[in-house]
């Protein structure tokens, strides 16, 4: 494997300026960023000067002078843009932008979505259309990658990229004497890693301080919240472990409303960190500094300088995630074993995607487990490539399950501990939920890095507006916050449809709901699906109580909220609501469908679902 020195990629400034590609991404879970970085690597192999940047990090005012841009964007929630493209999104849809503003721009849009959601790839479609309206020239039709495809979004991405490079090389041919750099040649790492002397000074303090920050806590500056309580809500005999966890955010400056979300930055467990260091023959206590390979590349904002290997692996590298195809492509470059290299190359090829899916995605095999399977390659990984090879640990979002009016300076979350079996012998465990479940106040000063962001659910400001909340399972979390908030303000008209398996095993917050019912603050309908022979779900309870639902909707201007699992439940609830409109309101099927759509448009029907 030859390594390409950065100097060999240099061309004359004129050539570089002429052959410039900008790749802008909007990513929530990291897939769009990974794809954007793949395009960046492929651009370098074609001797294009390429910058890969999050949409909100880019100065959008410069877009009018760009000549060639590829947009890679995910769609989140109910057709929303990812967090790191929201500012760009607002700017792009300003009404005062002239129709020919982007007339110099050749562009392509690659969308990443999930066809099980109603607004599949909504952001990519809308972005493509808007850039076209502003005078942009599309190189290709918008690509719509789908998580639901057997081979994932790559089934669409691979052929689309072949067509994209054909188009780009027609517009910007390779300079004379240069060829596309072979995949056998390893590109330089993004950063070089330099170990520091043992006696060099330690970095100034820890990244996290439990003292009051100067600015509101954020991803770059989270607040170290004290864990106050960690209580299991489900019966010990129940298969699912669900926790109510409370954090103390005194002095953080954090404020929130019902419907908001708390972001938690998790970490790898010490056993996995130790295994990783042993596999790669790394000293966990050794410290290093990073230097960018190319000028203008920013250092990772969340890593201290200098940093220890232990801190890097514990807090930054996502060694528990299921590795993406790009991981296998780069890993194959380091292999000293012919057998391992052949297998890694097969996994990273277009033809090998079905086998990679069976090996990795279907059983949810982790990065660390893959490294165990390729020991000769793993111990040959140069440490400076770790940040190219393994993505950073992403923060996890939880609906806040409490109100500041009821619990000042506290944040509570309702969390299912993720654990399930695949054909691998070891059970699969969620990184964040397993870590949080292991934290107990009895252990001493236990802290969690967190910050708050606005959620998708907005509750009515008018105190007389009733609300109908449909929240099976942990979907009830934002409604607990809303009910606590409304009760503290003396508001009645709170109607909750809650569903779970068994009253005796997973009826979360039962005593709290029953007390509010007794005081007249809550109307509660429960569906315990396994407590009788016939399975009963929230949609059945909606139909049974259709007269009340119709009266609240038609006479009292009620708002409807839905939260929970995105599989069959949202469609079944929507169908039940349409049946209510037909049976009680006398509407035809098409009128009922339009009535529900109108409720959505006016934000009187809001939903927040997750897969």
């Amino acid at each position: 494997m030859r390594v390409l020195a950065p100097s060999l990629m240099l061309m004359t400034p004129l050539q570089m300026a002429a052959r410039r590609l900008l790749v802008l991404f909007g990513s929530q879970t990291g897939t769009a960023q990974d794809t954007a970085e793949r395009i960046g690597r492929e651009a370098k192999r074609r001797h294009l000067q390429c910058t890969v940047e999050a949409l909100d990090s880019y100065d959008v005012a410069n877009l009018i002078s760009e000549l060639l841009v590829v947009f890679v964007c995910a769609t989140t929630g109910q057709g929303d843009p990812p967090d790191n493209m929201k500012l760009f999104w607002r700017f792009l849809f300003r009404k005062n932008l002239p129709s020919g503003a982007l007339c110099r721009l050749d562009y392509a849009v690659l969308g990443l979505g999930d066809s099980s959601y109603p607004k599949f790839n909504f952001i990519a479609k809308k972005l493509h259309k808007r850039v076209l309206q502003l005078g942009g020239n599309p190189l290709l039709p918008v690509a719509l990658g789908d998580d639901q495809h057997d081979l994932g979004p790559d089934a669409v991405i691979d052929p689309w990229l072949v067509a994209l490079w054909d188009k780009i090389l027609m517009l910007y041919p390779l300079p004379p004497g240069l060829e596309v750099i072979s995949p056998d040649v390893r590109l330089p790492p993004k950063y070089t890693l330099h170990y520091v002397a043992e006696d060099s000074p330690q970095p100034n303090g820890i990244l996290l301080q439990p003292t009051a920050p100067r600015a509101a806590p954020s991803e770059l500056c989270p607040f170290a919240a004290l864990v106050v309580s960690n209580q299991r809500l489900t019966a010990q005999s129940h298969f699912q472990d669900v926790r109510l966890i409370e954090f103390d955010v005194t002095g953080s400056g954090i404020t929130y409303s019902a419907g908001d979300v708390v972001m938690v930055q998790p970490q790898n467990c010490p056993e996995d960190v130790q295994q990783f260091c042993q596999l790669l023959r790394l000293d966990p206590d050794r410290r290093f500094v990073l230097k960018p390979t190319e000028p203008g590349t920013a250092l990772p904002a969340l890593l201290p300088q200098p940093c220890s290997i232990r801190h890097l692996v514990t807090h930054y590298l996502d060694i528990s995630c299921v590795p993406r195809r790009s991981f296998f492509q780069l890993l194959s470059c380091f292999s000293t074993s012919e057998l391992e290299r052949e297998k890694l190359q097969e996994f990273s090829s277009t033809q090998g995607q079905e086998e990679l899916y069976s090996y990795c995605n279907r059983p949810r095999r982790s990065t660390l487990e893959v490294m165990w399977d390729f020991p000769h390659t793993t111990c040959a990984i140069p440490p400076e490539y770790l940040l190219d090879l393994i993505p950073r640990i992403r923060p996890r979002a939880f609906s806040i399950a409490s109100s500041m009016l009821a619990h000042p300076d506290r944040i509570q979350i309702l969390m299912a501990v993720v654990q399930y079996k695949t054909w691998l012998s070891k059970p699969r465990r969620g990184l964040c939920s397993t870590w949080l479940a292991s934290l107990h106040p009895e252990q001493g000063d236990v802290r969690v890095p967190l910050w708050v962001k606005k959620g998708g659910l907005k509750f009515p400001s008018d105190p007389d507006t009733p609300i109908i909340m449909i929240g099976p399972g942990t979907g009830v979390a934002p409604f607990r916050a809303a009910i606590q908030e409304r009760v503290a303000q003396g508001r009645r008209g709170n109607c909750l449809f809650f569903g779970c398996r068994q009253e005796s095993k997973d009826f979360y917050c039962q005593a709290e709901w029953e007390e509010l019912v007794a005081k007249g603050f809550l109307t509660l309908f429960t569906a315990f699906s396994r407590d009788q022979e016939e399975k009963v779900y929230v949609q059945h309870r909606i139909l049974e109580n259709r007269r009340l639902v119709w009266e609240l909707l038609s006479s009292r201007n009620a708002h409807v909220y839905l939260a929970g699992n995105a599989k069959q439940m949202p469609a079944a609830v929507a169908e039940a609501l349409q049946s209510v409109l037909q049976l009680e309101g006398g509407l035809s099927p098409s009128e009922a469908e339009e009535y529900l759509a109108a409720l959505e448009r006016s934000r009187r029907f809001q939903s927040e679902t997750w897969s």
Side-chain angles (χ1 to χ4, degrees):
M1 167 64 66
R2 289 187 296 127
V3 183
L4 190 69
S7 57
L8 295 181
M9 299 177 72
L10 295 177
M11 296 181 285
T12 67
L14 193 63
Q15 286 175 321
M16 291 296 273
R19 304 185 77 254
R20 180 173 184 272
L21 169 65
L22 176 64
V23 183
L24 295 173
F25 64 85
S27 184
Q28 196 72 17
T29 62
T31 308
Q33 182 175 349
D34 181 72
T35 305
E37 285 168 354
R38 172 186 171 183
I39 295 169
R41 288 190 298 273
E42 291 191 13
K44 284 180 181 174
R45 293 190 182 279
R46 288 157 180 82
H47 302 280
L48 287 150
Q49 184 192 6
C50 183
T51 305
V52 180
E53 208 170 341
L55 278 152
D56 277 359
S57 303
Y58 173 74
D59 185 350
V60 70
N62 293 335
L63 200 59
I64 56 167
S65 56
E66 299 290 352
L67 300 178
L68 183 62
V69 177
V70 175
F71 298 96
V72 185
C73 51
T75 296
T76 68
Q78 311 305 307
D80 301 315
D83 290 340
N84 64 0
M85 71 176 282
K86 283 185 173 169
L87 300 174
F88 171 87
W89 196 247
R90 280 202 291 273
F91 179 90
L92 197 69
F93 285 88
R94 274 165 44 169
K95 290 188 169 64
N96 62 352
L97 293 180
S99 57
L102 301 179
C103 61
R104 299 174 64 201
L105 179 67
D106 289 318
Y107 76 98
V109 177
L110 167 54
L112 296 167
D114 184 324
S115 57
S116 68
Y117 286 83
K119 293 194 172 176
F120 171 59
N121 264 315
F122 179 75
I123 296 300
K125 294 172 189 171
K126 202 168 174 183
L127 174 62
H128 182 79
K129 193 174 169 184
R130 180 58 174 158
V131 177
L132 190 61
Q133 278 176 354
L134 295 172
N137 171 47
L139 295 172
L140 292 171
V142 59
L144 306 176
D146 184 8
D147 268 351
Q148 291 298 316
H149 193 283
D150 279 351
L151 303 179
D154 279 350
V156 167
I157 294 168
D158 285 359
W160 186 83
L161 280 181
V162 170
L164 178 73
W165 294 125
D166 286 347
K167 286 273 189 184
I168 288 175
L169 289 180
M170 278 170 62
L171 290 169
Y172 301 93
L174 286 164
L178 288 177
E179 293 179 358
V180 175
I181 298 164
S182 159
D184 297 335
V185 176
R186 189 202 306 164
L187 296 173
K190 199 170 181 181
Y191 308 103
T192 54
L193 184 147
H194 305 268
Y195 286 114
V196 296
E198 305 238 340
D199 56 357
S200 64
Q202 294 283 340
N204 295 329
I206 311 168
L207 277 181
L208 280 176
Q209 292 297 344
T211 53
R214 273 170 287 184
S218 64
E219 184 163 6
L220 293 180
C221 186
F223 179 75
L226 190 69
V227 179
V228 178
S229 65
N230 182 348
Q231 177 193 356
R232 178 169 173 145
L233 297 187
T234 45
Q236 288 297 330
S237 58
H238 190 57
F239 77 98
Q240 179 82 75
D241 180 356
V242 175
R243 304 295 179 94
L244 182 67
I245 302 178
E246 184 171 41
F247 305 104
D248 184 348
V249 293
T250 304
S252 66
I254 286 174
T255 59
Y256 63 87
S257 305
D260 287 349
V261 166
V262 63
M263 306 298 294
V264 171
Q265 184 65 48
Q267 61 185 56
N268 291 310
C269 71
E271 297 76 33
D272 286 355
V273 173
Q274 188 181 352
Q275 276 187 23
F276 181 89
C277 291
Q278 284 172 351
L279 269 173
L280 276 85
R281 299 172 187 171
L282 293 169
D283 175 358
D285 297 316
R286 195 130 187 233
R287 290 185 303 129
F288 63 89
V289 290
L290 293 174
K291 291 183 181 167
T293 306
E294 291 181 11
T297 303
L299 289 169
L302 295 165
L303 280 182
Q305 289 265 56
C307 178
S308 71
I309 293 287
R310 189 189 309 280
H311 184 97
L312 173 73
V313 184
T314 302
H315 298 283
Y316 195 85
L317 298 180
D318 196 353
I319 59 175
S320 74
C321 73
V322 176
R324 304 179 201 275
R325 178 177 166 187
S326 59
F327 171 87
F328 293 90
Q329 284 170 327
L330 184 52
L331 196 59
S332 69
C333 299
F334 310 127
S335 193
T336 53
S337 153
E338 195 177 335
L339 196 67
E340 288 185 9
R341 184 168 58 252
E342 280 177 9
K343 195 69 193 169
L344 290 165
Q345 285 171 341
E346 185 184 338
F347 282 154
S348 56
S349 69
T350 303
Q351 300 78 10
Q353 287 314 286
E354 213 160 312
E355 195 172 341
L356 175 60
Y357 187 84
S358 298
Y359 166 71
C360 219
N361 300 67
R362 192 170 284 124
R364 310 301 296 166
R365 197 184 298 268
S366 74
T367 296
L368 183 59
E369 288 169 325
V370 170
M371 291 172 127
W372 273 109
D373 286 351
F374 294 89
H376 300 96
T377 306
T378 296
C379 68
I381 297 169
E384 58 264 29
Y385 277 94
L386 286 175
L387 281 91
D388 295 78
L389 189 65
I390 302 170
R392 72 175 178 87
I393 299 172
R394 296 264 160 188
R396 285 7 182 216
F398 294 93
S399 293
I400 296 175
S402 58
S403 165
M404 291 196 96
L405 299 180
H407 302 277
D409 292 322
R410 295 284 195 268
I411 288 177
Q412 296 180 354
I413 61 169
L414 195 61
M415 180 194 79
V417 181
V418 177
Q419 183 179 333
Y420 56 95
K421 285 285 291 176
T422 64
W423 57 262
L424 298 175
S425 58
K426 197 176 169 185
R428 307 293 89 191
R429 296 178 191 275
L431 172 66
C432 190
S433 62
T434 303
W435 174 60
L436 286 177
S438 74
L439 304 178
H440 291 281
E442 309 87 70
Q443 298 164 345
D445 192 41
V446 180
R447 294 186 180 268
V448 168
L450 56 77
W451 63 99
V452 164
K453 67 171 197 174
K454 285 281 153 213
L457 299 176
K458 298 283 180 287
F459 293 91
S461 52
D462 178 357
D464 297 324
T465 303
I467 58 173
I468 300 167
M469 297 159 284
I470 305 150
T474 53
V476 80
F479 304 142
R480 183 173 183 259
I483 291 164
Q484 285 185 2
E485 197 164 279
R486 287 168 64 89
V487 169
Q489 293 163 337
R491 298 188 191 184
R492 295 174 189 268
N494 305 307
C495 177
L496 174 65
F497 288 88
F498 173 75
C500 64
R501 288 188 170 221
Q502 291 167 292
E503 183 176 8
S504 62
K505 291 192 173 174
D506 57 339
F507 187 2
Y508 318 138
C509 312
Q510 179 178 0
E512 190 177 325
W513 303 138
E514 287 172 351
E515 186 185 340
L516 291 172
V517 169
K519 289 179 176 176
F521 280 108
L522 180 66
T523 304
L524 176 67
F525 300 104
T526 53
F528 305 116
S529 62
R530 305 297 198 276
D531 275 353
Q532 58 287 307
E533 259 183 56
E534 291 287 313
K535 287 181 184 171
V536 176
Y537 297 112
V538 284
Q539 58 265 31
H540 299 125
R541 296 294 185 230
I542 290 167
L543 271 174
E544 286 170 16
N545 296 279
R546 57 184 178 267
R547 189 161 296 169
L548 171 66
V549 173
W550 171 248
E551 193 258 323
L552 288 171
L553 281 173
S554 60
S555 307
R556 298 190 54 202
N557 201 38
H559 288 218
V560 183
Y561 298 88
L562 169 67
N565 195 294
K567 286 182 181 160
Q568 291 91 21
M569 185 272 295
V573 166
E575 198 177 308
L577 289 170
Q578 285 180 31
S579 297
V580 169
L581 299 172
Q582 290 171 56
L583 294 167
E584 293 298 320
L587 304 185
S588 69
S590 61
E591 286 169 338
E593 198 175 327
E594 174 49 38
Y595 187 104
L596 206 56
L599 287 181
E600 273 197 80
R601 286 193 297 272
S602 64
R603 303 281 286 157
R604 277 184 60 201
F605 179 31
Q606 298 173 42
S607 57
E608 191 166 82
T609 57
W610 51 86
S611 51

